[in-house]
Amino acid sequence: SQQGEEDPQALSIQEGENATMNCSYKTSINNLQWYRQNSGRGLVHLILIRSNEREKHSGRLRVTLDTSKKSSSLLITASRAADTASYFCATDAQTDSWGKLQFGAGTQVVVTP
Amino acid sequence: DVKVTQSSRYLVKRTGEKVFLECVQDMDHENMFWYRQDPGLGLRLIYFSYDVKMKEKGDIPEGYSVSREKKERFSLILESASTNQTSMYLCASSLDSFSGNTIYFGEGSWLTVV
């Protein structure tokens, strides 16, 4: 079953602008991760935020987590053409996890020069 | 760097054929996964393995089986390929079954069943 759902499904911005995408999930989690996928390639891990954290930064990435709303957001600041990719949130459920992650359908981001 | 290698990048198979997708990881990870990715549906877990010869069904195991005879190798088997199994298949691995591990993905195998 799909745990996370990203919003919007697609996002088109210009270089230098910020890109924000959201993720909602259904059940209680241990942590939430964001991954990036370039077209036709595998996924690459970007950042992890634990359930007891509210905000985390990594370079131009900022992730927030609101466990009361079961939602997270990923902000990419000062976007570049190279940020063009699909972005997925993935959750690690508190029960019956075994280290498995449930992925959403992704947000496709296009950054134009 | 962790490397997850999927042996075939692109495959075309006929309906009814038995198909093997092979995956090898080089970091002594305990967990290995097979996901299927389809447009609009994201990644769906087919099977995962937390140890040699151990396997657990994921969300969509029907029509698939797996084999893990060695720790570094995890194979996905389509016993009798059907056109609705045309998809991108992603193999992945992680250190162990504890929470918070990063999952490392291979580059994917594009399977077309005709």
Side-chain angles (χ1 to χ4, degrees):
Chain A
S1 59
Q2 198 167 303
Q3 162 80 308
E5 292 186 9
E6 288 90 345
D7 171 59
Q9 290 185 342
L11 183 60
S12 183
I13 56 174
Q14 292 193 316
E15 269 192 326
E17 293 181 341
N18 295 342
T20 300
M21 58 211 86
N22 304 296
C23 169
S24 59
Y25 56 91
K26 298 172 185 171
T27 62
S28 296
I29 60 172
N30 292 314
N31 57 69
L32 185 144
Q33 303 185 38
W34 285 90
Y35 286 77
R36 166 197 167 121
Q37 182 182 36
N38 288 352
S39 181
R41 309 296 293 272
L43 279 72
V44 175
H45 178 258
L46 292 176
I47 194 167
L48 177 150
I49 186 165
R50 301 193 185 281
S51 60
N52 61 355
E53 297 176 311
R54 292 295 167 259
E55 187 171 313
K56 202 159 183 181
H57 297 254
S58 176
R60 292 183 298 112
L61 305 179
R62 172 177 169 256
V63 170
T64 62
L65 179 65
D66 187 334
T67 53
S68 66
K69 294 181 180 178
K70 292 187 170 59
S71 68
S72 173
S73 68
L74 172 66
L75 167 68
I76 306 173
T77 60
S79 62
R80 306 166 181 168
D83 295 327
T84 294
S86 292
Y87 293 82
F88 295 85
C89 68
T91 53
D92 177 354
Q94 281 187 354
T95 58
D96 190 29
S97 175
W98 287 92
K100 294 180 294 182
L101 293 180
Q102 296 282 356
F103 287 83
T107 293
Q108 190 171 3
V109 176
V110 175
V111 182
T112 53
Chain B
D1 277 356
V2 174
K3 193 164 175 95
V4 178
T5 303
Q6 296 182 230
S7 58
S8 301
R9 191 88 170 95
Y10 300 97
L11 306 93
V12 179
K13 298 292 181 180
R14 294 195 181 277
T15 299
E17 273 193 78
K18 191 168 186 176
V19 181
F20 292 86
L21 299 180
E22 306 286 346
C23 175
V24 176
Q25 50 93 4
D26 66 357
M27 281 300 290
D28 202 34
H29 282 175
E30 292 183 5
N31 279 14
M32 294 190 75
F33 309 85
W34 275 104
Y35 286 90
R36 170 179 171 160
Q37 184 176 21
D38 299 288
L41 296 178
L43 279 74
R44 292 179 291 169
L45 182 63
I46 304 171
Y47 268 98
F48 79 102
S49 168
Y50 53 91
D51 201 352
V52 176
K53 297 190 188 294
M54 306 303 290
K55 60 187 179 186
E56 291 288 336
K57 293 179 180 179
D59 298 316
I60 52 164
E62 296 78 20
Y64 303 95
S65 63
V66 291
S67 172
R68 192 162 180 205
E69 296 297 319
K70 293 185 177 181
K71 191 173 186 179
E72 67 271 18
R73 189 178 296 269
F74 192 36
S75 303
L76 180 69
I77 303 155
L78 286 67
E79 296 290 342
S80 178
S82 63
T83 55
N84 63 12
Q85 292 178 310
T86 291
S87 187
M88 180 170 180
Y89 291 88
L90 288 161
C91 176
S93 72
S94 67
L95 181 62
D96 53 36
S97 297
F98 289 101
S99 174
N101 287 320
T102 296
I103 290 186
Y104 297 88
F105 284 85
E107 288 295 291
S109 297
W110 290 91
L111 172 65
T112 301
V113 182
V114 297

